[in-house]
Amino acid sequence: MAGHGRIVVEVLLADHPFDGFLNPMRRRAAEFSAAHPGYEVRISTYRYWSGTGREEFIRLLDQGRVPALVDVFFTETQHARDAVAATGGPLFTPVQRAVAGRREILGEPVVLNDFVDAARRYYSYGGELVSMPFSVSTGLLYANMTMLRAAGITEVPQDWAGLEAACRAVVRLEGGPSHGVAWAVDGWFFQHVVCEQGGLLVDHANGRSGRARKVDLASEELLAWATWWQRLHRDGLYLHTGVAQDWAGTIEAFVEGRVAFLYSSSVMAQPVVSAGAKAGIEVVAGRLPRNGAVPYSGDVLGGDSLWLAAGLSPEVEDGALAFLQYMLNPEGAAAWHRSSGFIPVTHGSHRLLEAEGWFTEKPHHREAPMQLGASDGSPAATGALVGDLSGMHADLVQAMTDVLERGADPARRFAQATVAAQRRLDDYNRKIAERHAVR
């Protein structure tokens, strides 16, 4: 496909909710096009984060026709792997296979072997990197150190027991907060705590050694978290805003001083620290507290990866692959981190930022890569690869909402959630089997 004598590389991005996502990508596309006069990278967007956006995205994949590069949220990884092109073959080609061992493409050095381990593991299957992780995040704990010092606490808690004790201390302060901690009722945090404790959400090594076919949302690891969470809420330590997936509301509660601690995404590190400073609060970012009763395995990542369409002409494929390398070279990945807040996804970009003094000046950006780097590399810590993971998240959110708002028994309610999630997964796997049989 050519325009004005140039080969056009179409890139389809999600309408991301975080600031600093689309405009930096457009700038990088323009820079690449200027550096490679024979190519033009064109950015377009699709709805994912609003209304029925996810359903529309799934329909897009199911139609079997996509542009050269497609931005896919991490929960849809299995769906992208299973997507079928109109020709009957896979809709996407693994990027490692397309690179085919080359060290550079159109003069751009290949960065596939430079990804941080957590990102490479999550987006690999059978040892092969299937897509390019470019916006990677993890969960962090944000602490109001101004408030904590008033309660005699000088360090950010490292485990659940320490967090609970700190919450009890701050709510006893004269003029202290109404609650100790807030976080969104979101399926991502369930993934985190199961990973941290070495548990699995699905069989076949979390879907890493074969297609996931059995779900367990009532595991010992998950119930340990849900039961502890329920107690924090019952004792007035956890602030439930009453809205599911209320990321904005929990951040607001933290900045306004209604809680001393906040669980949120590492992408929000700069906005939260800056908002705290404006409110006269010293905010420190720390790793997510762990269950101190069990060994730590790791934390799951979030974010997006870019998938390479199958069946492209060699010229378009090389242009797409070269753009990926350009975007994630050390300077590019470092610039992307600075503008978006996503972690520096390559070792080269991390070294560059370290040498510039970036992490010394902004230590809140250091915690996310350190947390992901502490993973033991097990299938549990890598995170689940499973069909309709987004739907599974919805089942977890509804179950926990019932526990918090209706006093449902966690063991019984998450057993029911397991049944619902199993039905979803069975339906998903059946549809995939039927589609491949027809093709």
Side-chain angles (χ1 to χ4, degrees):
M1 182 177 179
H4 307 293
R6 308 180 92 184
I7 297 168
V8 175
V9 177
E10 300 278 359
V11 182
L12 184 62
L13 300 176
D15 57 344
H16 216 282
F18 297 121
D19 292 335
F21 189 88
L22 291 177
N23 286 337
M25 286 289 289
R26 291 188 175 107
R27 286 196 296 270
R28 295 297 285 170
E31 291 167 5
F32 177 86
S33 300
H36 296 268
Y39 283 87
E40 179 184 352
V41 176
R42 293 180 182 171
I43 303 289
S44 60
T45 62
Y46 69 90
R47 291 201 314 163
Y48 183 84
W49 295 102
S50 56
T52 58
R54 179 180 180 269
E55 290 76 11
E56 292 175 15
F57 172 66
I58 297 303
R59 282 197 293 273
L60 172 72
L61 294 188
D62 290 347
Q63 288 169 3
R65 292 183 177 85
V66 291
L69 294 171
V70 180
D71 169 23
V72 178
F73 190 52
F74 81 104
T75 57
E76 313 300 345
T77 299
Q78 183 65 50
H79 205 117
R81 287 191 67 238
D82 288 331
V84 175
T87 57
L91 185 59
F92 298 106
T93 295
V95 290
Q96 185 171 342
R97 195 177 306 172
V99 167
R102 287 175 286 178
R103 294 189 174 185
E104 65 174 42
I105 301 172
L106 301 183
E108 301 294 341
V110 170
V111 300
L112 294 195
N113 293 328
D114 196 37
F115 283 117
V116 296
D117 293 343
R120 185 174 183 89
R121 281 193 296 264
Y122 190 88
Y123 291 108
S124 292
Y125 193 82
E128 182 178 57
L129 187 70
V130 296
S131 61
M132 290 284 280
F134 77 106
S135 61
V136 171
S137 63
T138 189
L140 291 178
L141 178 71
Y142 299 95
N144 180 334
M145 292 306 299
T146 307
M147 193 178 289
L148 294 183
R149 290 194 185 98
I153 300 168
T154 59
E155 295 184 355
V156 179
Q158 301 294 306
D159 57 24
W160 297 354
L163 178 62
E164 182 174 347
C167 287
R168 294 187 186 280
V170 295
V171 298
R172 286 196 299 264
L173 287 172
E174 183 176 351
S178 60
H179 298 77
V181 64
W183 62 79
V185 183
D186 190 276
W188 192 42
F189 288 128
F190 285 95
Q191 281 206 73
H192 268 290
V193 296
V194 172
C195 284
E196 289 167 358
Q197 300 173 80
L200 302 175
L201 282 179
V202 293
D203 63 349
H204 293 135
N206 243 2
R208 299 288 167 176
S209 65
R211 179 175 294 278
R213 299 193 180 278
K214 186 175 181 181
V215 180
D216 185 4
L217 303 188
S219 64
E220 179 181 354
E221 295 83 9
L222 194 145
L223 290 178
W225 160 256
T227 303
W228 177 68
W229 183 352
Q230 181 188 44
R231 187 175 77 244
L232 292 184
H233 179 247
R234 184 189 61 222
D235 293 353
L237 302 176
Y238 167 77
L239 174 63
H240 177 43
T241 67
V243 179
Q245 298 176 293
D246 191 10
W247 295 86
T250 55
I251 292 172
E252 183 179 275
F254 178 74
V255 173
E256 291 178 352
R258 288 184 279 138
V259 294
F261 297 101
L262 168 73
Y263 283 49
S264 194
S265 170
S266 61
V267 175
M268 299 308 298
Q270 189 61 54
V272 170
V273 169
S274 296
K278 289 181 181 178
I281 296 170
E282 180 190 351
V283 178
V284 170
R287 303 186 200 184
L288 290 179
R290 298 142 188 192
N291 181 353
V294 299
Y296 173 72
S297 289
D299 274 277
V300 74
L301 55 73
D304 308 57
S305 68
L306 286 166
W307 291 69
L308 178 70
L312 301 174
S313 70
E315 295 80 11
V316 172
E317 181 174 277
D318 278 359
L321 289 170
F323 175 62
L324 293 176
Q325 313 314 311
Y326 175 81
M327 189 175 70
L328 295 175
N329 64 27
E331 294 79 11
W336 177 241
H337 161 73
R338 293 190 207 97
S339 65
S340 69
F342 289 104
I343 75 165
V345 76
T346 64
H347 295 292
S349 61
H350 195 282
R351 287 192 296 269
L352 177 62
L353 291 161
E354 192 79 68
E356 292 175 351
W358 173 262
F359 297 114
T360 301
E361 179 185 349
K362 298 178 180 292
H364 45 279
H365 284 308
R366 189 192 298 275
E367 294 301 317
M370 288 180 64
Q371 177 169 281
L372 289 179
S375 170
D376 65 10
S378 65
T382 299
L385 182 61
V386 56
D388 201 2
L389 181 55
S390 180
M392 191 181 300
H393 278 195
D395 293 325
L396 288 165
V397 167
Q398 186 56 60
M400 196 67 211
T401 299
D402 290 344
V403 169
L404 296 173
E405 298 181 359
R406 299 171 182 82
D409 174 66
R412 183 176 301 112
R413 186 61 187 84
F414 282 94
Q416 293 169 351
T418 299
V419 173
Q422 187 64 55
R423 188 179 302 117
R424 289 180 188 269
L425 181 57
D426 290 343
D427 288 346
Y428 175 88
N429 285 338
R430 183 173 58 254
K431 289 175 183 176
I432 294 301
E434 291 172 351
R435 183 180 304 158
H436 283 270
V438 169
R439 298 287 185 178

